[in-house]
Amino acid sequence: MSKWLAIVMTVGLLAGCGGNDRNDATAEAPSSAVEHDPHSYGNPNEARVTHVALDLDVDFEGRALRGSATLDLEVADAAEALILDTRNLGISAVTDGDGAVLEYALGEADADLGTPLTIMLSHRTERVRIQYETNPGATALQWLPAHQTLSGEHPFLFSQGQAIHTRSWIPLQDSPGVRVTYEATIRVPEGLRVVMSAANDPSAALDGEFRFDMPQAVPPYLIAIGVGDLAFEAMSPRTGVYAEAELVSAAADEFADTERMTEVAETLYGPYRWDRYDLLILPPSFPFGGMENPRLSFITPTVIAGDRSLVALIAHELAHSWSGNLVSNATWRDLWLNEGFTTYVTIRIMEAVYGEARARMEAALDYQSLAAEMEELSPEAQVLAIDLSGEHADDVFTDVPYAKGMFFLMWLEREFGRETFDAFLRGYFDHFAFQSITTAQFEEYLYEHLLEAHPETVTREQVHVWIHEPGMPDTFVPPESDAFSRIDGVRGAWLAGEVVAADIDTDAWTVHEWLHFLDGLPRELSVAQLDALDGAFDLTQSENNMIARSWLQLAVRNRYDPAYERLEAFLMGIGRNLLIAPLYKALMETGQAEFARRVYEAAKPSYHPITVAANEPVIYPDGE
Ligand code: BES
Ligand code: ZN
């Protein structure tokens, strides 16, 4: 073993304990300490990445990004090495800012966390440059051949960093506590457009080279890229849509309320601080509904329903511009500070733009989904500030951080009154702007600025139960919706045979009412009952993907043959996990593994790695 490799292996012990020859009085120690993150190998409290400059070629044939990442560092006097996160990167050279070669070593690969990259720092190293290329299987990247796009003519590439995938396309310290600014030069085949979670110029020439600057420090999971044959349509002076030309107008029309939503959020929580807010509409294989990449939310096309009925998704991703992106979770344990606050802010935006009835329905649906999921979760997983050590970071994304987090804030709002709570939240976003914080930091701020400022309203003990105990606390009041109570009545009457389906007046039903009606039906229905519903409402052909999902779930549970053609097309055409995972699950639970596996195998090449990873264990429970 070489001497330096021995140092690499013991650097964790040495660093911070003196006993080294790095004695540069001018070197800055990293600013305030970063919270230890069990999902990163990085050593930011010794040597911290503060800025990333990417210079990458996009190779669609080789399915690789190739080039360099130049990292600016803040280095503590005692630091001998910089430790980065990587996953399956091909590294060819590491130099300092002047081009001098630096020694480096890749550690052991871990299936969840990837591979630490340790770079030996010499005296005064404040910049390192890593020459590398990504692996075709990089978990953050989906490479779509032209035939998987609408035009069928050009390939498409997009990244998805959250939670810990950025390390598969950029070597850096991939912890949300280590915020970075970034810049990028990206080269692509001429005619294609590149967009990033940075300043985008809708009028940029499509000449094969794009430059980006992101002057605001963000967690690494928010660095994102999209490449494709993308058109742009403005929705307001500061909002617009990027999408394939075939879809861009429909998208701009569907999401036309984005500016109003932004104004509402600004009134509540202070100015939008990220300059532009644009949407990137991805191909249907995008594994999520949306992803809040700063300045440019990534959005599934499956919410373009034609009637703006599913735009809560936009409110949600926009809300992250305050909760999540401005004030971020320091580690994945603290995700509820991000998604829970966002789910709350979403409801407030929906209420202000579309009225209280719709907001109540959205909250009631969130509760139904939370209550159902809670039944399957272990007590440990029902805690907002979840203990994630030893778990994969993705395991934190249940309804708990989202809906339980929201209901906690709704409870505070009810107890302190809207005016007081709104002022508190606005002050909180200002106070922690552009920082990544822990649950403990939030608790301290909450005690000082809300509980102590308004004594005898709620107790610390009550707050503690919400944040650190499983289940729903005694202080929780389930949301109610008059509209849903009416639906319950109609559903009951139909099931009791008091009314026939064709006589149910559904003309004024919103998507929410449809979902509540369908999801509340018994698991077992007769063919005659399903025929009656389908005959009256044409559910098998529903153009609303959320309604289609709920209907197909019923169809699967009851082996309702007439829906299977649509079911297969749905599973083949969509990669959004929320829409397809419940269908695969229902198929497997009802002994239809053969059908599930046939369709899954056919669809798999077009699914995103995240969708594959989520469904594979369901479809092959024994690891076959
Ligand atoms: N940040 C999430 C997307 C995400 C989830 C990334 C899990 C990585 C792991 C995003 O803001 C989100 O929550 N999207 C939801 C929609 C929302 C309305 C609940 C989605 O994609 O369905
Ligand atoms: Zn979210």
Side-chain angles (χ1 to χ4, degrees):
M1 183 189 297
S2 75
K3 175 175 164 272
W4 76 268
L5 195 58
I7 295 174
V8 165
M9 296 178 74
T10 53
V11 77
L13 294 172
L14 284 178
C17 306
N20 62 78
D21 58 9
R22 199 169 189 288
N23 190 19
D24 177 359
T26 62
E28 266 179 71
S31 3
S32 56
V34 166
E35 178 79 2
H36 169 72
D37 179 353
H39 297 107
S40 169
Y41 289 110
N43 62 339
N45 291 325
E46 288 132 30
R48 185 179 312 171
V49 178
T50 59
H51 180 78
V52 179
L54 299 172
D55 189 299
L56 296 171
D57 289 309
V58 180
D59 173 2
F60 277 101
E61 279 85 60
R63 298 196 163 196
L65 301 176
R66 206 167 286 120
S68 65
T70 304
L71 312 178
D72 288 353
L73 310 175
E74 264 179 26
V75 186
D77 289 352
E80 298 202 337
L82 166 72
I83 308 179
L84 304 176
D85 293 297
T86 72
R87 179 184 283 139
N88 274 332
L89 296 180
I91 292 167
S92 49
V94 180
T95 56
D96 69 9
D98 301 321
V101 169
L102 297 175
E103 287 190 272
Y104 68 93
L106 283 163
E108 218 173 285
D110 177 276
D112 288 349
L113 302 180
T115 313
L117 167 62
T118 303
I119 299 171
M120 297 313 293
L121 300 177
S122 55
H123 193 58
R124 286 181 182 277
T125 310
E126 286 178 349
R127 178 170 282 178
V128 298
R129 174 165 301 147
I130 300 145
Q131 299 285 346
Y132 72 102
E133 68 177 26
T134 60
N135 184 283
T139 54
L141 303 178
Q142 192 176 17
W143 300 87
L144 297 174
H147 70 85
Q148 278 178 39
T149 64
L150 281 175
S151 73
E153 281 173 25
H154 300 277
F156 203 105
L157 164 69
F158 65 87
S159 70
Q160 164 58 38
Q162 200 178 22
I164 56 171
H165 298 291
T166 300
R167 63 192 67 177
S168 75
W169 74 284
I170 307 173
L172 43 53
Q173 290 170 326
D174 194 8
S175 167
V178 186
R179 304 180 80 100
V180 292
T181 51
Y182 77 87
E183 66 191 282
T185 300
I186 311 286
R187 280 170 295 274
V188 292
E190 236 173 82
L192 294 186
R193 185 197 295 273
V194 186
V195 286
M196 290 191 83
S197 55
N200 288 292
D201 174 7
S203 58
L206 307 184
D207 60 3
E209 183 168 294
F210 293 77
R211 283 176 196 283
F212 300 90
D213 195 26
M214 182 52 174
Q216 291 145 318
V218 293
Y221 75 86
L222 292 175
I223 304 178
I225 186 168
V227 183
D229 181 17
L230 293 166
F232 175 80
E233 191 167 314
M235 298 188 291
S236 76
R238 64 170 166 177
T239 70
V241 178
Y242 292 93
E244 283 193 76
E246 290 82 351
L247 202 59
V248 75
S249 289
D253 187 58
E254 191 84 20
F255 305 132
D257 291 333
T258 305
E259 173 63 35
R260 248 175 89 206
M261 292 178 174
T262 313
E263 286 164 13
V264 162
E266 288 187 303
T267 310
L268 287 169
Y269 306 119
Y272 177 77
R273 304 197 200 209
W274 307 87
D275 193 23
R276 292 194 57 83
Y277 182 67
D278 294 317
L279 306 174
L280 170 64
I281 312 302
L282 292 147
S285 67
F286 184 56
F288 300 115
M291 178 62 212
E292 66 271 24
N293 297 315
R295 297 174 184 230
L296 182 70
S297 287
F298 285 22
I299 302 293
T300 173
T302 62
V303 289
I304 303 178
D307 58 3
R308 303 185 187 172
S309 57
L310 301 177
V311 297
L313 175 76
I314 307 300
H316 178 100
E317 304 314 335
L318 170 68
H320 275 302
S321 307
W322 287 264
S323 43
N325 297 2
L326 190 60
V327 182
S328 312
N329 46 294
T331 72
W332 297 109
R333 171 199 62 210
D334 311 299
L335 179 73
W336 74 278
L337 296 175
N338 177 338
E339 294 295 354
F341 282 54
T342 294
T343 309
Y344 173 80
V345 171
T346 305
I347 292 281
R348 296 297 304 276
I349 296 174
M350 293 305 288
E351 183 187 314
V353 178
Y354 303 101
E356 213 183 311
R358 179 157 171 187
R360 275 168 180 270
M361 287 192 278
E362 308 250 0
L365 287 174
D366 284 346
Y367 178 55
Q368 285 164 15
S369 159
L370 173 67
E373 190 167 28
M374 282 264 201
E375 285 184 14
E376 296 186 1
L377 291 175
S378 68
E380 299 77 49
Q382 299 176 11
V383 173
L384 284 179
I386 187 174
D387 180 3
L388 271 183
S389 29
E391 310 284 329
H392 194 284
D394 287 349
D395 293 346
V396 65
F397 287 88
T398 67
D399 282 331
V400 172
Y402 286 76
K404 185 176 173 182
M406 165 179 76
F407 288 123
F408 170 50
L409 298 193
M410 283 182 166
W411 170 71
L412 289 173
E413 181 201 312
R414 182 171 319 118
E415 297 299 324
F416 288 93
R418 194 167 257 203
E419 202 178 322
T420 300
F421 188 65
D422 285 357
F424 164 78
L425 213 49
R426 186 180 176 141
Y428 162 81
F429 289 133
D430 278 343
H431 183 81
F432 291 113
F434 297 106
Q435 294 182 44
S436 302
I437 67 165
T438 62
T439 298
Q441 281 173 284
F442 165 74
E443 287 170 316
E444 199 181 315
Y445 186 87
L446 176 77
Y447 294 145
E448 186 181 339
H449 294 268
L450 203 58
L451 271 63
E452 283 160 24
H454 304 272
E456 287 165 41
T457 313
V458 310
T459 66
R460 278 183 184 230
E461 180 52 28
Q462 288 172 320
V463 169
H464 183 90
V465 172
W466 270 101
I467 299 178
H468 297 283
E469 300 283 336
M472 295 307 276
D474 296 341
T475 52
F476 166 63
V477 185
E480 281 181 10
S481 152
D482 295 344
F484 282 1
S485 307
R486 283 194 295 278
I487 298 292
D488 290 337
V490 172
R491 192 198 305 106
W494 177 70
L495 285 168
E498 294 159 18
V499 53
V500 295
D503 286 345
I504 304 177
D505 182 5
T506 60
D507 286 355
W509 283 15
T510 61
V511 169
H512 314 82
E513 284 156 310
W514 271 113
L515 295 178
H516 184 72
F517 177 81
L518 293 171
D519 294 345
L521 286 168
R523 278 176 169 243
E524 282 177 32
L525 291 171
S526 67
V527 172
Q529 285 174 310
L530 291 164
D531 268 341
L533 289 177
D534 208 16
F537 309 119
D538 209 10
L539 291 163
T540 296
Q541 299 311 328
S542 174
E543 282 171 17
N544 188 292
N545 288 308
M546 293 295 283
I547 294 177
R549 178 197 72 169
S550 288
W551 170 250
L552 291 172
Q553 211 171 354
L554 277 173
V556 166
R557 287 196 187 124
N558 294 284
R559 298 182 185 240
Y560 181 60
D561 272 356
Y564 272 60
E565 201 180 316
R566 174 81 200 273
L567 173 66
E568 187 164 342
F570 195 84
L571 293 170
M572 289 294 297
I574 294 177
R576 184 182 178 192
N577 200 42
L578 176 84
L579 293 177
I580 61 176
L583 300 176
Y584 280 123
K585 190 160 171 263
L587 283 165
M588 296 304 294
E589 281 171 359
T590 52
Q592 301 176 72
E594 202 180 318
F595 175 88
R597 288 177 185 162
R598 178 176 64 74
V599 178
Y600 175 76
E601 287 304 329
K604 192 171 160 181
S606 61
Y607 285 161
H608 189 283
I610 290 174
T611 301
V612 170
N615 289 287
E616 190 102 2
V618 174
I619 286 165
Y620 298 106
D622 306 323
E624 298 150 50

